[in-house]
Amino acid sequence: MTCLFCRIVSGEIPAQVVYRGPEVTAFRDINPQAPVHVLVVPNRHVESISELGSADAALLGQLIEVANELARQEGVADSGYRLITNRGPDAGQTVAHLHFHLLGGRPMSWPPG
Ligand code: 5GP
Ligand code: ZN
C-alpha cells in the first residue's frame, strides 16, 4: 500500500487524527494554511472527486457531515469556513487520495490564486 493517505487512514503513518469512523477519517494538515486546516478523507482509496457521483451519495454525505461537525468543534461554524477539494494538476492536487480541505479561523480571499 503506497498511498500516503491510505497509510494515514490505516494508522501506519501518524497524523493528528480528529475524527475516525468506519467510512471517513479526518486529520490535521501537516502544513496548515489557516488556524483550522483539517483534511477529511474517505477510508477507501478514491483518487479524486471526479470518481464519485450519485452512486456514492452516502459517502459524500458523510464526508460533508463530518466536515460540518468538525467546523462546529473547531469553533469556526459561525465565523465561516471553506470546504474545498482539488482535482488534477491545475487545481494543485498533490495527493492522489480524495480529500476535502476544511479551512477556517481567518478571513480568506476570493478568487483563489
Ligand atoms: P492537495 O494539494 O492535494 O489539495 O492537498 C494535499 C494536502 O496534504 C496539503 O495541504 C499537504 O500539506 C497535506 N499533506 C501532505 N503530506 C501530508 C502528511 O504526511 N500528513 C498530513 N497530515 N498532511 C499532509
Ligand atoms: Zn489512498
Side-chain angles (χ1 to χ4, degrees):
M1 186 170 35
T2 55
C3 170
L4 176 63
F5 286 177
C6 279
R7 294 166 83 182
I8 287 178
V9 167
S10 74
E12 187 187 334
I13 289 180
Q16 281 188 274
V17 174
V18 291
Y19 174 86
R20 200 186 286 282
E23 307 291 338
V24 174
T25 299
F27 49 92
R28 296 198 191 282
D29 197 292
I30 205 168
N31 182 23
Q33 300 301 312
V36 174
H37 190 172
V38 171
L39 302 174
V40 185
V41 312
N43 290 351
R44 75 170 159 97
H45 184 81
V46 175
E47 270 203 25
S48 80
I49 195 69
S50 65
E51 288 187 11
L52 299 186
S54 53
D56 308 291
L59 176 61
L60 284 162
Q62 285 185 51
L63 289 162
I64 292 167
E65 201 165 75
V66 168
N68 288 337
E69 178 56 28
L70 287 171
R72 286 189 282 273
Q73 276 181 35
E74 298 282 325
V76 298
D78 293 334
S79 53
Y81 54 95
R82 209 168 264 179
L83 188 60
I84 60 159
T85 185
N86 296 317
R87 185 276 181 280
D90 277 0
Q93 183 176 10
T94 58
V95 178
H97 181 128
L98 172 64
H99 48 285
F100 283 95
H101 297 256
L102 169 65
L103 292 153
R106 67 166 172 83
M108 284 170 271
S109 59
W110 192 263

